[in-house]
Amino acid sequence: MAPATVICIGMAGSGKTTFMQRLNSHLHTKKQPPYVINLDPAVLKVPFSCNIDIRDSVKYKKVMENYNLGPNGAIVTSLNLFSTKIDQVISLVEKRSDTFNHCIVDTPGQIECFIWSASGSIITEAFASTFPTVIAYIIDTPRSSSPTTFISNMLYACSILYKTKLPMIVVFNKTDVRDAEFAKEWMTDFEAFQDALRSNAELSEETSNGSGYMASLVNSMSLMLEEFYSTLDVVSCSAYTGAGFDDFLDAVDSKVEEYNDFYQKERESILKQKEETEIKKKQKNLNHLMKDLGLKETKSANTESEGVDVLSDLSDDDNDDENTAEGYEHGLVEPDINEPDREYTFQDDRNGEITDANNEALQNIYQSAFEKTAKTASSSVADDIAKYIRQSQG
């Protein structure tokens, strides 16, 4: 069974790295050490040992100096450079896949540098096409106590879900500071969220003379997100105390089954559709090329194929005789319409095979043709040709 890959994503300061460290320790205590990958090139120290570390391949400060980039641009460029070798990373993980049950991946704190970049999509797709992959979206629970901040986090989670098209677990971290029951209630009870939003709006108007526009927008967003909440697994945990990590691992197992039942089939369908689209695109480009070269696109009436992609396809017919007779119909180049009809010397024997029956007649024809042409040639050349013919005859 392929190991589950958990990609930890979250806002800066949400506690992703600490969550990774606690998850790593928790799996070690269960005698199930994971395979650990760090994709944050800008971090100075990580509180866990890594099997694969992007810092071993890409030097973040050198990228800033060489490309004259700022912090975020250097992170994106470092991920771009690392993603060019993602096939080697997947190969390394596959070789060790029989020694672990979980592969956990830490991502940069600048969430947009990973999620909305091409390199982030390449890395995520590479893992998801090889292993059952789950997204763990880490949320800072104390900072989400405001309804507006809570809705912002949920909208971000929704966008990540539809961007990656992978199973997602929403992890309310830092429950040692504040319990996450209020957030779970807001996700399941619309009226409770409305009450919290109303009280927060009244407080906002008293302190900042707000117009109430934000409350109206958040109210609409909460109605829209009800369907989104039903597809999520929600877990509350504390990376500081280690509480809730058994629940998180149970949620990972549940999402792996969901991946195998639904997401994998959908991904295979998407890949098949992409392959068919590429084939059609290549055929369209070939047709445009033929048109630009002044060649006529033709289709065979006696074959199942819709067209000829390459020249070698012309000789793949089972019936060679039909291929010969209809060669011009199937070919890429049509004959000149002004060309006269060909005349064959041997009407009864198109193949021109030399047998005992026609050998003597054929030699007489050659001899007659030679005598006609030899009269106009020099005597020395004629003697050489005559000598060559006598030697060949016998």
Side-chain angles (χ1 to χ4, degrees):
M1 182 177 178
T5 300
V6 181
I7 301 178
C8 297
I9 298 172
M11 298 287 187
S14 61
K16 293 185 304 301
T17 303
T18 310
F19 177 86
M20 283 276 298
Q21 185 270 335
R22 178 61 69 174
L23 179 59
N24 183 31
S25 301
H26 187 75
L27 289 171
H28 273 86
T29 58
K30 295 172 69 69
K31 307 299 181 183
Q32 299 176 4
Y35 198 87
V36 184
I37 300 176
N38 174 46
L39 295 182
D40 190 351
V43 66
L44 295 178
K45 295 181 180 180
V46 290
F48 48 82
S49 59
C50 302
N51 297 94
I52 298 177
D53 196 332
I54 188 175
R55 298 176 300 170
D56 297 334
S57 304
V58 182
K59 302 301 180 184
Y60 172 71
K61 291 185 177 180
K62 289 293 183 181
V63 171
M64 292 182 67
E65 294 174 2
N66 294 339
Y67 296 97
N68 296 321
L69 297 171
N72 288 352
I75 291 176
V76 173
T77 304
S78 299
L79 286 170
N80 290 341
L81 295 172
F82 186 77
S83 65
T84 60
K85 304 296 183 182
I86 190 61
D87 56 330
Q88 299 179 17
V89 175
I90 298 297
S91 177
L92 290 172
V93 178
E94 281 185 313
K95 289 179 181 179
R96 298 285 304 279
S97 61
D98 57 341
T99 62
F100 57 89
N101 296 326
H102 299 87
C103 175
I104 56 178
V105 183
D106 192 16
T107 58
Q110 289 75 4
I111 186 172
E112 67 280 358
C113 295
F114 182 79
I115 289 297
W116 305 114
S117 65
S119 55
S121 298
I122 292 171
I123 293 171
T124 305
E125 289 285 334
F127 278 104
S129 60
T130 310
F131 309 105
T133 305
V134 178
I135 301 295
Y137 182 64
I138 315 299
I139 295 178
D140 189 338
T141 306
R143 292 184 181 178
S144 300
S145 57
S146 169
T148 54
T149 309
F150 173 80
I151 283 295
S152 299
N153 262 312
M154 291 298 103
L155 286 174
Y156 223 113
C158 181
S159 64
I160 292 172
L161 176 67
Y162 290 109
K163 178 68 168 63
T164 59
K165 296 182 176 63
L166 291 171
M168 175 181 285
I169 302 172
V170 173
V171 181
F172 286 99
N173 194 18
K174 303 183 182 180
T175 55
D176 57 293
V177 178
R178 178 164 184 178
D179 194 274
E181 288 302 319
F182 75 94
K184 294 181 180 179
E185 184 182 10
W186 287 353
M187 296 177 70
T188 55
D189 189 348
F190 176 73
E191 292 182 357
F193 181 78
Q194 290 294 311
D195 293 339
L197 180 62
R198 192 177 302 110
S199 62
N200 186 77
E202 292 174 356
L203 179 62
S204 177
E205 289 176 1
E206 291 177 1
T207 56
S208 61
N209 296 323
S211 62
Y213 171 76
M214 179 61 71
S216 176
L217 177 62
V218 171
N219 184 31
S220 301
M221 292 295 100
S222 63
L223 287 172
M224 182 271 293
L225 288 172
E226 278 190 316
E227 183 66 25
F228 167 67
Y229 294 151
S230 63
T231 63
L232 295 178
D233 279 10
V234 181
V235 177
S236 59
C237 66
S238 172
Y240 181 73
T241 63
F245 277 83
D246 285 328
D247 295 336
F248 175 76
L249 292 177
D250 292 339
V252 169
D253 294 338
S254 175
K255 287 301 181 181
V256 167
E257 294 179 1
E258 183 179 330
Y259 174 91
N260 294 329
D261 292 339
F262 301 102
Y263 285 83
Q264 188 175 21
K265 294 179 181 179
E266 182 179 355
R267 294 182 69 81
E268 290 175 356
S269 176
I270 292 173
L271 291 175
K272 184 178 180 181
Q273 186 177 1
K274 286 183 178 180
E275 184 179 355
E276 292 175 355
T277 303
E278 283 295 322
I279 294 175
K280 291 180 181 179
K281 185 177 180 181
K282 290 180 181 179
Q283 180 64 37
K284 185 177 179 180
N285 292 338
L286 177 62
N287 293 338
H288 283 310
L289 177 62
M290 294 169 61
K291 185 176 180 181
D292 292 341
L293 294 175
L295 306 177
K296 184 178 179 182
E297 179 187 2
T298 59
K299 294 185 178 180
S300 171
N302 298 328
T303 60
E304 296 180 356
S305 62
E306 296 182 356
V308 178
D309 288 338
V310 293
L311 293 176
S312 60
D313 291 342
L314 301 176
S315 60
D316 289 341
D317 234 348
D318 294 336
N319 194 332
D320 292 335
D321 293 336
E322 291 182 8
N323 248 354
T324 305
E326 302 177 5
Y328 293 126
E329 182 181 349
H330 291 273
L332 295 175
V333 181
E334 293 186 340
D336 187 357
I337 58 175
N338 297 321
E339 182 180 356
D341 294 337
R342 300 181 185 276
E343 295 182 2
Y344 292 90
T345 306
F346 305 102
Q347 294 293 334
D348 297 333
D349 189 8
R350 294 282 182 93
N351 294 327
E353 296 180 358
I354 300 177
T355 62
D356 294 338
N358 61 17
N359 185 27
E360 184 177 356
L362 182 62
Q363 294 298 333
N364 292 335
I365 292 174
Y366 287 161
Q367 184 65 31
S368 175
F370 164 72
E371 291 175 353
K372 291 180 181 179
T373 57
K375 293 178 181 179
T376 60
S378 61
S379 59
S380 60
V381 174
D383 292 341
D384 293 339
I385 295 175
K387 180 178 179 182
Y388 175 76
I389 292 178
R390 286 195 300 271
Q391 291 177 353
S392 63
Q393 289 179 345

